[in-house]
Amino acid sequence: MSKADSRPIGVFDSGIGGLTVLKELALQFPQESFLYLGDTARLPYGSKSPSTIRKYSEQNIIFLEKQNVKAIVIACNTASSQLTEHEFDGLPIYNVIEPGSQRALEVSSSKRIGLLGTRATVNSKAYTKKIMEFDPKAQVFDQACPLFVPLAEEGWDSDPVTNLIVFRYLTPLLQNHIDTLILGCTHYPILKNSISRVTGSSVELVDSGEAIARWLDRDMKENRLGASPGVEPRRIEIMTTDHSDHFTEAAMRILKPVKADGFRVVDL
Amino acid sequence: MSKADSRPIGVFDSGIGGLTVLKELALQFPQESFLYLGDTARLPYGSKSPSTIRKYSEQNIIFLEKQNVKAIVIACNTASSQLTEHEFDGLPIYNVIEPGSQRALEVSSSKRIGLLGTRATVNSKAYTKKIMEFDPKAQVFDQACPLFVPLAEEGWDSDPVTNLIVFRYLTPLLQNHIDTLILGCTHYPILKNSISRVTGSSVELVDSGEAIARWLDRDMKENRLGASPGVEPRRIEIMTTDHSDHFTEAAMRILKPVKADGFRVVDL
């Protein structure tokens, strides 16, 4: 058995979306500490070019490495679509594409899988390539949904306007008779009620947070990340690259019932 | 009479919104050349903090100064709300707040003025302060509209979804019996059809592009900017800080009938 390792797990996203992943991880691993970085000064990543997204993501990874984390989760599909799972200076870097792709194939019977994402994630074809690599017979139908992030940021979940926009984006996918739908942006679980209302119960939703939590659980059991510490209470700290009261409010709403121990603004 | 000055006028915004201003200026001043900078790698500015917005805007101004422009128009309400009209190294810097405020007071009879803007513009109270400075008896009713920019970027103008969202944001303003409405973000003229459908004909819309064009016309007539050159055909060049095919397509659609002579990506 490996030694206990009380260093936090680093998690980053361009903004609040990755908090849906942090919440899942915090609930799943109650003894682990977390350090969350939201690159709010430069958000959103979803409409930026691949090279800019890679540059910003690498800066975030270097910053978190300096904070002495034991692993880094890229809790942003757009950034994950540009950086595959790898090691950086011996530090395991997880993305959300592989766990989400694997989970979608596990729950799908027909192997007709829908994908919702930002323009950058959809254009990257990262999910399609990963799913086809796991199962060449699977079919992926994708749809970019640029309005979902601002709707989630505005807090208009379960709102008639959101239902209408969800209906607009999902109709072409549902006409392709998918039985599984990947929420390929960490903001989208905030709109889960509206999305499942349009898909109905015959389509299974795959959430990045839940998928990466299973993935990390496997590595924890294999002791890849060091055993969890047992004594001190764990800490959850949230850092952003820009100051915003709106962020703090939204973060507390999204994380509930998980509580953050501190918020601070950092320079990368 | 001053000497002809063939240097271009610099115009900047965080993205495509300022193109509505560029279009007005290009139509109004057919002999002037323009150099447009869209800071697309760091857009949007509307949800960022005042200090970050100021930092980015100052970097844009320094960049345009190096390109040898004869004046700079801040074609972004969010950036304008953080930088007043001033001179920088002898270069006149125009923002859109003062022209828009003055124009609103000219067209309003009741002096009950509505303002739509990004969260940052509304929170800055820049329009309210400027309007009250010009006419202390005027009343300003403001509303942040975070979904308007992505709707404009998505190209959903004159769309039922947009009409519904416009209705949602405008209802509280209309209950205050405004007779004039400032489109306090340079993206918003793209949604003018949906907005005027909700306001009806009794509310006058004030567009930043039209207002700043009048302002510049005054300075041209007073020879503050040097006389327009008369011989060579003028050039309109568009620079962005990130590569995007979506930007180029959207830019051509918004600028029509004005044509850009070139697009290129620059590093600030």
Side-chain angles (χ1 to χ4, degrees):
Chain A
M1 196 180 150
S2 72
K3 275 205 313 196
D5 186 341
S6 63
R7 288 178 301 165
I9 296 173
V11 178
F12 80 84
D13 177 37
S14 57
I16 65 167
L19 293 168
T20 66
V21 174
L22 176 65
K23 176 185 168 180
E24 283 299 321
L25 296 176
L27 289 172
Q28 182 91 6
F29 308 111
Q31 296 192 309
E32 297 288 339
S33 289
F34 294 93
L35 207 51
Y36 182 88
L37 172 65
D39 187 11
T40 51
R42 302 188 293 194
L43 71 78
Y45 285 5
S47 50
K48 297 190 166 63
S49 71
S51 62
T52 297
I53 296 164
R54 263 196 304 279
K55 185 171 81 181
Y56 290 176
S57 302
E58 284 161 3
Q59 288 168 350
N60 297 339
I61 287 172
I62 290 168
F63 175 82
L64 284 171
E65 192 208 7
K66 285 188 192 146
Q67 310 300 308
N68 197 28
V69 295
K70 65 178 171 181
I72 293 175
V73 175
I74 307 178
C76 169
N77 282 268
T78 302
S80 290
S81 73
Q82 299 305 325
L83 291 177
T84 53
E85 201 170 295
H86 66 295
E87 292 216 344
F88 175 78
D89 271 357
L91 205 63
I93 313 286
Y94 295 90
N95 76 26
V96 286
I97 307 280
E98 282 161 88
S101 301
Q102 199 196 47
R103 182 74 191 143
L105 284 167
E106 272 168 28
V107 300
S108 173
S109 307
S110 66
K111 308 299 175 195
R112 297 176 71 86
I113 295 168
L115 165 70
L116 306 178
T118 61
R119 220 186 285 283
T121 299
V122 165
N123 287 346
S124 75
K125 296 279 168 200
Y127 273 103
T128 310
K129 284 180 209 154
K130 190 49 70 183
I131 289 170
M132 306 286 281
E133 195 184 305
F134 287 143
D135 183 348
K137 284 195 219 120
Q139 279 185 282
V140 180
F141 304 91
D142 54 22
Q143 174 68 46
C145 309
L147 280 160
F148 279 8
V149 170
L151 284 169
E153 301 260 355
E154 189 72 324
W156 290 8
D157 36 307
S158 311
D159 183 290
V161 165
T162 304
N163 296 345
L164 198 62
I165 294 173
V166 169
F167 183 79
R168 174 84 58 96
Y169 283 133
L170 261 65
T171 300
L173 288 185
L174 294 175
Q175 283 167 347
N176 282 310
H177 306 292
I178 56 168
D179 73 347
T180 303
L181 181 60
I182 299 174
L183 306 183
C185 168
T186 53
H187 273 87
Y188 297 178
I190 301 169
L191 307 179
K192 219 174 197 174
N193 282 341
S194 293
I195 295 171
S196 61
R197 184 175 297 199
V198 172
T199 59
S201 58
S202 60
V203 174
E204 188 86 27
L205 302 185
V206 173
D207 170 328
S208 304
E210 290 167 15
I212 183 72
R214 285 165 190 266
W215 205 262
L216 275 178
D217 190 44
R218 175 206 65 190
D219 278 10
M220 299 244 176
K221 285 182 179 138
E222 290 173 4
N223 282 327
R224 194 177 164 211
L225 294 176
S228 291
V231 193
E232 301 165 64
R234 61 98 169 267
R235 281 189 67 78
I236 298 180
E237 299 222 50
I238 297 187
M239 301 172 295
T240 53
T241 51
D242 197 5
H243 174 78
S244 158
D245 292 334
H246 181 69
F247 178 93
T248 313
E249 279 163 37
M252 292 192 292
R253 196 175 64 233
I254 294 167
L255 285 175
K256 215 172 276 174
V258 172
K259 282 205 172 73
D261 295 295
F263 286 87
R264 64 195 160 102
V265 177
V266 295
D267 249 330
L268 296 193
Chain B
M1 196 179 150
S2 72
K3 275 206 314 199
D5 186 341
S6 64
R7 289 178 299 165
I9 295 172
V11 178
F12 81 84
D13 177 36
S14 57
I16 64 168
L19 293 167
T20 65
V21 174
L22 176 64
K23 176 185 168 181
E24 283 298 322
L25 296 177
L27 289 172
Q28 182 92 6
F29 308 110
Q31 296 192 308
E32 296 289 339
S33 289
F34 293 94
L35 207 52
Y36 183 87
L37 172 65
D39 188 11
T40 51
R42 303 189 291 194
L43 71 78
Y45 286 5
S47 50
K48 296 189 167 66
S49 71
S51 62
T52 297
I53 295 163
R54 263 196 304 277
K55 185 170 81 180
Y56 290 176
S57 301
E58 283 161 3
Q59 288 169 349
N60 296 339
I61 287 172
I62 291 168
F63 175 83
L64 283 171
E65 191 208 8
K66 284 187 192 145
Q67 310 301 307
N68 196 27
V69 296
K70 64 178 171 181
I72 293 175
V73 175
I74 307 177
C76 169
N77 283 268
T78 302
S80 291
S81 73
Q82 299 305 325
L83 291 177
T84 53
E85 200 170 296
H86 65 295
E87 292 217 343
F88 175 78
D89 271 357
L91 205 63
I93 314 285
Y94 296 90
N95 76 26
V96 287
I97 307 280
E98 282 162 87
S101 300
Q102 199 195 48
R103 182 74 190 142
L105 284 167
E106 271 168 29
V107 300
S108 173
S109 306
S110 67
K111 308 300 174 194
R112 297 177 71 85
I113 296 168
L115 165 70
L116 306 178
T118 62
R119 219 185 286 281
T121 299
V122 166
N123 288 346
S124 76
K125 296 280 168 196
Y127 273 103
T128 309
K129 284 180 210 156
K130 189 49 72 182
I131 289 170
M132 306 286 281
E133 194 183 305
F134 288 144
D135 182 349
K137 284 195 219 120
Q139 280 184 281
V140 181
F141 304 92
D142 54 23
Q143 174 67 47
C145 309
L147 281 160
F148 278 9
V149 170
L151 284 168
E153 300 261 354
E154 190 70 325
W156 289 9
D157 37 307
S158 310
D159 184 289
V161 165
T162 304
N163 296 344
L164 199 60
I165 294 174
V166 168
F167 183 77
R168 173 86 57 98
Y169 283 134
L170 262 64
T171 300
L173 288 185
L174 294 175
Q175 284 168 347
N176 282 309
H177 306 291
I178 56 167
D179 72 347
T180 303
L181 181 59
I182 300 173
L183 305 182
C185 167
T186 52
H187 273 87
Y188 297 178
I190 301 169
L191 307 179
K192 218 174 196 174
N193 283 341
S194 292
I195 294 171
S196 61
R197 184 175 298 196
V198 172
T199 59
S201 58
S202 60
V203 174
E204 188 86 27
L205 302 185
V206 173
D207 169 327
S208 305
E210 290 167 14
I212 183 73
R214 283 164 192 266
W215 205 262
L216 275 178
D217 191 45
R218 176 207 63 189
D219 278 8
M220 299 245 177
K221 285 182 180 138
E222 291 173 3
N223 281 327
R224 193 176 165 212
L225 294 175
S228 291
V231 193
E232 301 164 66
R234 61 98 169 265
R235 282 188 67 78
I236 297 179
E237 299 222 50
I238 297 187
M239 302 171 294
T240 54
T241 50
D242 196 5
H243 174 77
S244 157
D245 292 335
H246 181 70
F247 178 93
T248 313
E249 279 163 37
M252 292 194 291
R253 195 174 65 234
I254 294 167
L255 286 175
K256 213 173 280 176
V258 172
K259 281 205 172 72
D261 295 295
F263 286 87
R264 65 194 159 101
V265 177
V266 295
D267 249 330
L268 296 193

